[in-house]
Amino acid sequence: MSATNKEPKVSLREATYSQLKDLILNGQLRPSERLSENNLAKRFGVSRTPLREALMKLEEEGLVVGQRNLGYTVTDLDITGFCNLLVVREALDVCAAKLACEKATDEDLARLRDVIEQMAVLKVSDNRTPSDAAQNLQLGLHIHRVIAEATKNDALVRATDQIYQQLRLALWLEVLWVDLEHTDFDEHKAIADAILARDPEEAAKAASAHVQSSLKNMSKLERIWHHRRAVGSG
């Protein structure tokens, strides 16, 4: 009985979260725009509770920023900052790939194969919906977590988690706006294949190439972002 009573609340929270996220990623809510909880609650026809839960979740994903006594604002796209984070990410990913070749157990390698299989299924799908983009991103994040955990180095896992959390907005937009052909699948597969073969040199090379691809995408992302801002303010 109690579980049934909770379902509408969870459903409402998720619906509010999805609607608000779409407004941000589609550029209808502009970077650095202050978010009025009252206006958003009326817009979505919800109370403040599911709205605040949605905002908290979006803050965890790096799409909004909350400030005490000031409320929430949409995160601005700091390309220079993201590129700096990608430089650090490259060092971490290369280190993780090399260590995974040495430390990964058979169970770790099985997990790695499973993620690649899921990515392959998504790649051949004819659907290109927001849901597909979300799944593509989640799998991309998950495979890096699997690789990091395979190193058996807790400090590396924590550092990787922190960097990827700060990169969340850029990664979302890269998947939605730039990587329209799932080219990241080939890059992830190259990393996985090298780890499965326990070849640290190839694993490091593939991990580095993957991040370099994201760095190149940042300039494309910046152009698209500025265009959307100009259209939105016009």
Side-chain angles (χ1 to χ4, degrees), residues 74-192:
V74 179
T75 300
D76 200 358
L77 191 69
D78 179 4
I79 294 295
T80 299
F82 286 137
C83 287
N84 289 338
L85 287 169
L86 284 169
V87 171
V88 178
R89 173 190 161 185
E90 182 176 7
L92 291 172
D93 283 1
V94 167
C95 179
K98 292 170 68 176
L99 277 177
C101 289
E102 175 187 350
K103 301 290 187 179
T105 64
D106 289 342
E107 182 180 355
D108 293 323
L109 298 182
R111 292 176 67 200
L112 195 55
R113 290 190 190 94
D114 180 63
V115 181
I116 289 296
E117 288 174 4
Q118 292 181 60
M119 287 181 162
V121 170
L122 187 61
K123 182 181 180 181
V124 299
S125 171
D126 291 332
N127 296 322
R128 290 298 300 156
T129 65
S131 176
D132 292 327
Q135 186 179 358
N136 189 44
L137 174 61
Q138 292 306 320
L139 286 172
L141 293 172
H142 182 54
I143 194 170
H144 289 289
R145 179 63 189 249
V146 169
I147 293 170
E149 289 178 349
T151 69
K152 313 307 176 190
N153 187 314
D154 291 340
L156 181 56
V157 173
R158 289 195 298 272
T160 299
D161 280 347
Q162 183 179 14
I163 287 295
Y164 275 84
Q165 189 63 46
Q166 295 178 71
L167 280 167
R168 182 72 74 133
L169 174 61
L171 295 174
W172 262 113
L173 297 180
E174 183 180 7
V175 168
L176 283 172
W177 296 351
V178 181
D179 186 27
L180 302 179
E181 300 298 330
H182 285 326
T183 55
D184 63 327
F185 169 75
D186 295 328
E187 296 167 2
H188 283 129
K189 189 174 185 303
I191 300 170

Side-chain angles (χ1 to χ4, degrees), residues 7 16 53 56 61-62 74 95 109 132 140 155 208-209 230:
E7 285 180 5
T16 304
E53 291 174 342
M56 289 172 64
E61 295 184 353
V74 179
C95 179
L109 298 182
D132 292 327
S208 178

Side-chain angles (χ1 to χ4, degrees), residues 48-59:
R48 298 279 286 275
T49 298
L51 178 63
R52 285 176 177 169
E53 291 174 342
L55 286 166
M56 289 172 64
K57 187 172 181 179
L58 290 169
E59 183 175 25

Side-chain angles (χ1 to χ4, degrees), residues 194-234:
I195 294 174
L196 291 169
R198 296 193 184 276
D199 186 335
E201 290 187 10
E202 281 301 313
K205 181 180 177 181
S208 178
H210 178 46
V211 180
Q212 286 298 316
S213 178
S214 283
L215 279 166
K216 292 177 182 177
N217 283 340
M218 286 302 102
S219 60
K220 300 177 185 177
L221 184 58
E222 185 172 31
R223 290 196 298 272
I224 296 171
W225 186 260
H226 287 317
H227 173 71
R228 284 177 176 252
R229 289 185 68 173
V231 171
S233 61

